[in-house]
Amino acid sequence: MSLGAQTFDTIIVNGTVVTASDTMRCDVGIRGGRIVALAEGLAEGLSAGAGSAVEIIDATGRLVLPGGIDSHVHLDQPSGEGIVMADDFESGTRSAAFGGNTTVLTFCMQEKGKGLRQSLKDYHAKAEGKCHIDVGFHLVVTEPTADVLGQEMPALVEDGYTSIKVFMTYEGLRLRDDEILATLDAARGCGALVMVHCENEDAIRYLIGRHEAAGETAPKFHASSRPVAAEREATHRALSLAEIVDVPIVIVHVSNREAMEEIERARQRGSKVAGETCPQYLFLTADDLDLAGMDGAKYVCSPPPRDKASQDACWDGLERGVFDLFSSDHCPFRFEDDQGKLNEKGKRSFRWIPNGIPGVETRLPLLFSEGVGKGRIDINRFVALTSTNHAKLYGLYPRKGTIAIGADADIAIWDPAREVVIDNDILHHGADYTPFAGIKVTGWPVEVMVRGKRVVSNGQLVGQAQGQYLARDRSALVR
Ligand code: URP
Ligand code: ZN
Ligand code: ZN
């Protein structure tokens, strides 16, 4: 059959197509929301008239990449009394789309006293009809009762909720070691992949108390109350607990070399571990929390940004494969807002400043510019770190995370030469600031399509919110 005889809804021509393994000059033929052809000359023979039903996108000089998958995004999450997250599913997925993403995995927090199913029902209601790109949910287990671990979790994994997160920190969320073990063991039984937030809550609480007793309440003390040792110790403990019950885990938002070394040692012992880092650990330091007045509150997140040596370590980890995932940990709060960073209690002590920063829209350009542009990683590794590995680890591959025949046509077309100075005015999230303001990047996603339908084009949001909920397979790390 001649290629010209095939019918397509859309053909992307003249671009450079990049996957986690290959870089090739070919056209991309799309039909019914999926990629159906990768070849040269797909649009040949389609004269303007005869081919009028086919949309041709000219990607001359551009990179054609799998849409970004950000597997660590918090949207519309209950965040404590009087605190409101800056993004709901509409604004969060809009911002993600403008940043070159086509899928986000968000967190469904088990509310105290509720089961996972009930919490999921609430999250689905929040997301329904609002999403501009596809979404999935990780389950956050905060009360690992016998019913949650024995009944709900296995049933939910079968239903496509195949990953869970547990916290070792935050009052009200953290699990004790025996609860973590029970959760890991249950996950092993049903094939869920467990993500762990590793910080030692008791040490942190002690240090917060010491700071407050000394009248040290400014935002900068957030960083010194959550030292590297608290993260390193918890990382070691999480890895040991996972080893004890022999289950793979993901160590999320790693900020420094010592925690990375724990991951590497666990791998040397034979454990299956995935590692994740985030832009804040490459581009920010604890000095950013040490600004005049309350400005440091804009950078309060956990683990906190560290120092230049830790930034270098995290770059090294991206280059050497310590990290499999580069995610945003987008967790936005408005700054000038009594329901955000500058809530009444937060102004009195860093303890009450909500943890988290926006970043879903800037994740990809920052890594592209400083990573690929500066020669630290190649473009294929960029795709792996920002899309393909997320799909594989969270059960979406090969439907998502690559450009291949049969995959969803989730595609971001990049202008690799576009220069942008990051500023909150050009972003689309609900926060009133970006922690990455002033950073100049080269390379920006200019066209984004989800399942073959354009979502962002020429700097505009196009089409209806047509993102779908994604039921997922089990992780490649578990299978
Ligand atoms: O400060 C952060 N990272 N907030 C988001 C919640 C989390 O721990 O991932
Ligand atoms: Zn976390
Ligand atoms: Zn997070």
Side-chain angles (χ1 to χ4, degrees):
M1 181 175 67
S2 86
L3 289 169
Q6 286 201 17
T7 53
F8 302 109
D9 302 324
T10 306
I11 309 173
I12 302 170
V13 299
N14 301 328
T16 300
V17 174
V18 185
T19 68
S21 55
D22 298 297
T23 304
M24 55 215 154
R25 290 299 298 268
C26 69
D27 301 338
V28 183
I30 296 164
R31 185 171 61 232
R34 298 201 303 162
I35 297 165
V36 294
L38 293 170
E40 291 177 325
L42 287 183
E44 272 168 22
L46 289 178
S47 66
S52 60
V54 182
E55 182 185 27
I56 310 277
I57 301 176
D58 185 2
T60 301
R62 306 228 151 135
L63 298 172
V64 180
L65 307 188
I69 300 176
D70 193 339
S71 60
H72 194 144
V73 174
H74 303 264
L75 300 176
D76 212 347
Q77 194 172 285
S79 303
E81 213 186 311
I83 305 296
V84 177
M85 201 166 260
D87 277 318
D88 62 9
F89 280 83
E90 194 284 320
S91 61
T93 57
R94 173 179 12 125
S95 180
F98 275 98
N101 299 285
T102 51
T103 294
V104 286
L105 299 183
T106 65
F107 292 88
C108 165
M109 182 81 77
Q110 178 194 9
E111 279 187 58
K112 286 284 161 84
K114 283 189 189 174
L116 295 169
R117 283 251 182 231
Q118 182 56 47
S119 302
L120 265 174
K121 218 170 139 203
D122 299 346
Y123 273 81
H124 274 286
K126 291 180 197 201
E128 186 63 41
K130 282 190 163 181
C131 296
H132 297 282
I133 62 174
D134 288 351
V135 296
F137 296 110
H138 307 291
L139 306 166
V140 179
V141 174
T142 61
E143 281 184 331
T145 61
D147 188 48
V148 164
L149 298 186
Q151 310 296 324
E152 284 203 300
M153 197 201 288
L156 288 168
V157 168
E158 284 303 318
D159 287 353
Y161 304 93
T162 54
S163 48
I164 63 169
K165 183 177 180 189
V166 296
F167 287 92
M168 299 172 88
T169 185
Y170 300 136
E171 227 172 311
L173 295 183
R174 63 88 71 98
L175 302 188
R176 295 188 317 265
D177 287 359
D178 60 333
E179 294 174 317
I180 295 173
L181 268 174
T183 307
L184 290 169
D185 215 1
R188 181 180 195 273
C190 61
L193 181 63
V194 183
M195 312 157 78
V196 191
H197 180 135
C198 301
E199 288 183 289
N200 181 318
E201 174 65 14
D202 290 343
I204 290 165
R205 234 183 305 163
Y206 178 78
L207 292 175
I208 291 174
R210 208 169 73 175
H211 275 311
E212 285 187 339
E216 296 167 343
T217 56
K220 69 176 178 182
F221 297 109
H222 172 79
S224 44
S225 67
R226 307 182 88 97
V228 165
E231 184 182 344
R232 182 197 64 222
E233 183 280 329
T235 305
H236 177 78
R237 189 156 34 102
L239 290 162
S240 302
L241 297 176
E243 187 182 323
I244 287 166
V245 292
D246 187 22
V247 69
I249 55 171
V250 185
I251 305 293
V252 292
H253 46 47
V254 174
S255 72
N256 68 87
R257 184 173 300 281
E258 294 181 24
M260 286 165 51
E261 286 169 353
E262 294 295 341
I263 293 174
E264 291 188 282
R265 274 197 284 274
R267 285 179 180 155
Q268 280 155 17
R269 290 191 296 270
S271 296
K272 285 192 196 170
V273 188
E276 175 198 76
T277 193
C278 311
Q280 43 274 38
Y281 308 119
L282 304 181
F283 292 90
L284 305 178
T285 68
D287 289 347
D288 289 302
L289 281 87
D290 189 7
L291 298 177
M294 287 299 291
D295 269 16
K298 293 176 181 169
Y299 304 88
V300 165
C301 62
S302 296
R306 308 290 183 186
D307 57 9
K308 174 76 173 64
S310 297
Q311 290 183 340
D312 293 344
C314 289
W315 277 114
D316 180 49
L318 288 169
E319 287 161 37
R320 285 194 301 114
V322 179
F323 297 121
D324 310 278
L325 301 169
F326 185 71
S327 310
S328 67
D329 194 5
H330 179 81
C331 186
F333 298 96
R334 289 176 57 78
F335 176 64
E336 297 276 0
D337 198 317
D338 59 9
Q339 294 182 316
K341 295 284 189 182
L342 298 191
N343 67 85
E344 273 314 309
K345 280 160 72 180
K347 283 190 268 191
R348 291 202 292 273
S349 170
F350 66 90
R351 178 201 286 258
W352 304 108
I353 297 171
N355 282 212
I357 60 174
V360 75
E361 195 167 346
T362 43
R363 170 185 76 125
L364 295 171
L366 285 168
L367 187 68
F368 184 88
S369 185
E370 284 298 309
V372 181
K374 301 268 168 81
R376 290 169 162 131
I377 54 172
D378 66 24
I379 185 73
N380 308 99
R381 176 108 182 103
F382 172 82
V383 169
L385 283 165
T386 58
S387 182
T388 315
N389 291 353
H390 300 251
K392 288 180 175 173
L393 278 166
Y394 294 114
L396 291 169
Y397 190 82
R399 177 180 168 196
K400 306 281 191 191
T402 193
I403 295 184
I405 308 290
D408 281 357
D410 290 356
I411 291 173
I413 301 179
W414 282 65
D415 178 349
R418 180 171 296 190
E419 294 187 347
V420 174
V421 178
I422 294 176
D423 184 272
N424 201 51
D425 287 350
I426 63 162
L427 301 179
H428 301 81
H429 57 208
D432 54 353
Y433 76 98
T434 167
F436 305 107
I439 298 178
K440 184 176 166 188
V441 295
T442 304
W444 201 266
V446 289
E447 301 279 334
V448 178
M449 65 169 65
V450 176
R451 285 172 282 100
K453 294 255 183 323
R454 283 212 241 193
V455 179
V456 172
S457 183
N458 285 323
Q460 300 298 318
L461 191 68
V462 290
Q464 304 296 321
Q466 55 204 333
Q468 291 180 354
Y469 159 70
L470 299 168
R472 293 176 287 120
D473 294 331
R474 286 176 175 78
S475 168
L477 205 61
V478 168
R479 269 178 268 150

